Amino acid sequence: MADKLHFDLVSPERRVFAGEVDMVVVPGTEGDFGVLANHAPFMSTIRTGAIAVHSGSDVTRTFIRGGFAEVTANGLTILAEEAIDLADVNAEDVSKSLTEAREDLGQARNDEERHEAEARIEKFQALLSELSH
């Protein structure tokens, strides 16, 4: 039996996943990288996108926004600002939320409202992009 990688995915709200997997592909800010068991230690910041968790023939994709990935002798830990299981996401709902965010941007009364709407637009566009893969 091949070595397994211990993987933890944590968001501010909860521990999203903890377990033994074959590989995790992470959207790092310097590019995507795959982590297998016994990987060399390192840290990376994460860009908005989806991680792919490989376990046997199953691949689970989770949308993450921001955070850090740390590879140690104990495995991979991802601390994400936000984590959403793509299997639970409805593209139509995301499209509606994107439309609302664009409307909010057009009606923004100050920089704070404008920045908030722009961040939501970026998130929903990235989420729709990941759903199309």
Side-chain angles (χ1 to χ4, degrees), residues 42-120:
F42 80 100
M43 285 190 74
S44 176
T45 53
I46 297 171
R47 73 176 192 285
T48 298
I51 60 170
V53 179
H54 298 257
S55 187
S57 62
D58 295 333
V59 178
T60 304
R61 297 180 69 241
T62 303
F63 178 82
I64 57 175
R65 189 176 57 80
F68 298 91
E70 180 181 28
V71 180
T72 66
N74 295 327
L76 168 65
T77 301
I78 293 178
L79 304 173
E81 292 175 23
E82 185 174 20
I84 302 168
D85 186 345
L86 286 174
D88 297 338
V89 177
N90 179 303
E92 187 175 308
D93 291 342
V94 176
S95 292
K96 287 179 186 176
S97 295
L98 177 58
T99 299
E100 291 169 4
R102 287 178 174 148
E103 290 170 0
D104 290 347
L105 178 61
Q107 298 171 3
R109 294 172 295 203
N110 55 47
D111 286 344
E112 183 179 344
E113 288 180 4
R114 190 171 10 274
H115 292 305
E116 184 178 306
E118 288 170 344
R120 289 178 31 234

